[in-house]
């Protein structure tokens, strides 16, 4: 069970949220992208062991999307930040993005 | 909108009127169906002063809070979304007032009266009973009077609103899940005693007087 700090609603239980997968995936220009680039954009994901930047959706709350940096090994939530924001510098304090 | 003469409560088959003679003072959990409350959803860029002038209630800016005024409650649902709840039959008038007040703004006003039912939960065990099925932190220090939140109770999504300091909660639930939620509360409160109380008639909503 994770306690997730929604940027709007504050601390809520994991069960109110839905994970939207990896964040910050840049969409290539479909007019110029090769099939390989397009396939990479559509299907290939990082699946790292360690810090992962993901999108989350507060589906049973304010129904807003946001980003979260989570350690996939320890489940520690390193930062929570807006859906349009770039990943913040992580100092490991766990307080980032609030 | 459903024609008003066809309107039927999703709890109608439970025969609440015949059950409403229990001892509400002795019961730990008191359930009341707040039938056909007016509900209007407001989204978008709104002018808070214009809304307050038009309806008598302000749209709260702080997340997960509710404001009350002129027989209405405005509940924060999202960064640009509110639910306005009023007495039965007020939905068309409130909607018209808001449409007028927000004309020209990039906003949407939708009558969602038929979409949700409202169950009022009160009594000394109300908070504990809700906490049995709800992941919110319901400690009075965190969730007190004038707080609202969207979450779920049991398996059903709800909008929870603490109306006053006395531990009275209004739960707005999808109409199709009202019966499920009612049954859930009957089960949750069974060991402590559940009473059903009918809602007294509520005053009609009036548009605030213009200056």
């Amino acid at each position: 069970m994770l306690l997730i700090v929604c940027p709007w609603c504050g601390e809520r239980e994991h069960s109110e949220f839905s994970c939207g997968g990896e964040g910050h995936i840049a969409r290539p220009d479909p007019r110029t992208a090769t099939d390989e680039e397009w396939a990479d954009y559509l299907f290939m994901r990082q699946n790292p062991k360690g810090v992962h930047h993901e999108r989350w959706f507060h589906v049973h709350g304010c129904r807003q999307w946001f980003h979260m940096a989570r350690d996939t090994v320890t489940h520690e939530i390193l930062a929570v930040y807006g859906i349009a924001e770039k990943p913040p510098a992580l100092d490991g304090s766990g307080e980032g993005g609030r | 909108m459903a024609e008003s003469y066809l309107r039927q409560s999703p709890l109608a088959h439970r025969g609440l009127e015949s059950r409403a003679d229990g001892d509400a003072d002795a019961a730990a959990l008191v359930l009341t169906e707040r039938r056909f409350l007016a509900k209007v959803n407001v989204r978008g860029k709104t002018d808070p002063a214009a809304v307050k002038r038009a309806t008598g209630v302000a749209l709260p800016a702080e997340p997960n809070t509710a404001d009350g005024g002129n027989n209405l409650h405005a509940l924060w649902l999202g960064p640009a979304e509110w639910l306005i709840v009023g007495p039965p039959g007020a939905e068309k008038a409130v909607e018209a007032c808001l449409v007028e007040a927000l004309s020209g703004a990039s906003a949407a006003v939708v009558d969602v009266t038929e979409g949700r039912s409202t169950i009022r939960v009160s009594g000394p065990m109300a908070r504990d009973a809700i906490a049995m099925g709800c992941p919110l932190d319901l400690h009075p220090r965190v969730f007190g009077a004038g707080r609202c939140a969207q979450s779920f109770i049991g398996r059903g999504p709800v909008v929870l609103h603490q109306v006053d300091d006395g531990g009275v909660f209004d739960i707005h639930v999808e109409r199709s899940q009202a019966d499920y939620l009612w049954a859930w509360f009957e089960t949750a409160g069974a060991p402590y005693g559940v009473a059903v109380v009918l809602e007294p008639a509520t005053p009609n909503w009036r548009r605030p007087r213009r200056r």
Side-chain angles (χ1 to χ4, degrees):
Chain A
M1 171 67 82
L2 299 174
L3 277 178
I4 296 173
V5 180
C6 167
W8 298 99
C9 302
E11 208 171 70
R12 296 289 186 96
E13 271 190 28
H14 181 187
S15 49
E16 287 187 12
F17 296 85
S18 160
C19 182
E22 186 181 325
H24 307 294
I25 297 171
R27 183 174 190 264
D29 186 338
R31 288 166 301 187
T32 55
T34 64
D35 282 357
E36 209 165 286
E37 282 168 344
W38 194 252
D40 189 53
Y41 159 70
L42 281 184
F43 303 116
M44 303 308 281
R45 298 293 180 262
Q46 284 178 2
N47 193 24
K49 183 180 180 183
V51 177
H52 191 213
H53 295 88
E54 0 181 81
R55 294 174 302 179
W56 282 77
F57 181 40
H58 195 184
V59 56
H60 288 301
C62 57
R63 296 186 308 289
Q64 301 296 310
W65 285 91
F66 59 93
H67 276 120
M68 190 160 101
R70 181 177 63 92
D71 192 308
T72 56
V73 179
T74 62
H75 272 318
E76 185 187 358
I77 295 167
L78 302 162
V80 172
Y81 53 102
I83 193 66
E85 289 172 34
K86 295 221 159 35
L90 298 175
D91 58 4
S93 69
E95 297 292 323
R98 183 71 217 280
Chain B
M1 179 194 159
E3 300 299 331
S4 52
Y5 55 83
L6 292 177
R7 201 180 251 177
Q8 193 180 25
S9 155
L11 301 174
H13 64 286
R14 287 192 168 263
L16 300 180
E17 285 82 358
S18 64
R19 285 196 45 199
D21 51 3
D23 187 357
D25 293 332
L29 190 67
V30 180
L31 301 178
T32 306
E33 186 198 5
R34 303 201 70 199
R35 206 168 271 188
F36 308 135
L37 288 189
K39 297 179 191 78
V40 178
N41 185 282
V42 183
R43 298 193 77 153
K45 289 183 181 157
T46 55
D47 174 4
V51 171
K52 172 96 180 167
R53 265 200 311 278
T55 61
V57 70
L59 299 178
E62 190 189 334
N64 296 302
T65 59
D67 211 340
N70 192 27
N71 255 326
L72 299 176
H73 279 107
L75 280 59
W76 186 96
L77 296 185
E81 184 179 9
W82 295 268
L83 181 69
I84 296 185
V85 181
E91 59 271 13
K92 285 296 155 204
V94 173
E95 186 189 17
C97 274
L98 284 164
V99 166
E100 195 187 311
L102 298 174
S103 65
S106 181
V109 177
V110 183
D111 173 11
V112 294
T113 302
E114 312 293 339
R116 282 183 187 270
S117 295
T118 304
I119 296 173
R120 172 165 281 190
V121 181
S122 57
M125 274 295 287
R127 194 179 295 271
D128 292 351
I130 295 168
M132 282 179 208
C134 179
L136 289 172
D137 185 354
L138 290 172
H139 192 283
R141 189 177 56 223
V142 181
F143 201 94
R147 300 292 298 184
C148 69
Q150 293 169 91
S151 187
F152 47 85
I153 295 177
R155 302 296 297 168
V158 296
V159 181
L160 182 65
H161 173 207
Q162 184 172 342
V163 181
D164 62 11
D165 284 324
V168 176
F169 296 87
D170 274 356
I171 298 169
H172 307 289
V173 58
E174 301 282 344
R175 184 192 158 88
S176 59
Q177 296 184 357
D179 188 49
Y180 161 79
L181 194 68
W182 187 277
W184 190 90
F185 273 112
E186 296 251 21
T187 313
Y192 315 100
V194 179
V196 176
V197 170
L198 296 182
E199 185 175 36
T202 40
N204 288 336
W205 182 76
R206 280 165 200 269
R207 195 183 246 260
R209 218 177 282 163
R210 294 181 182 239
R211 280 180 214 138

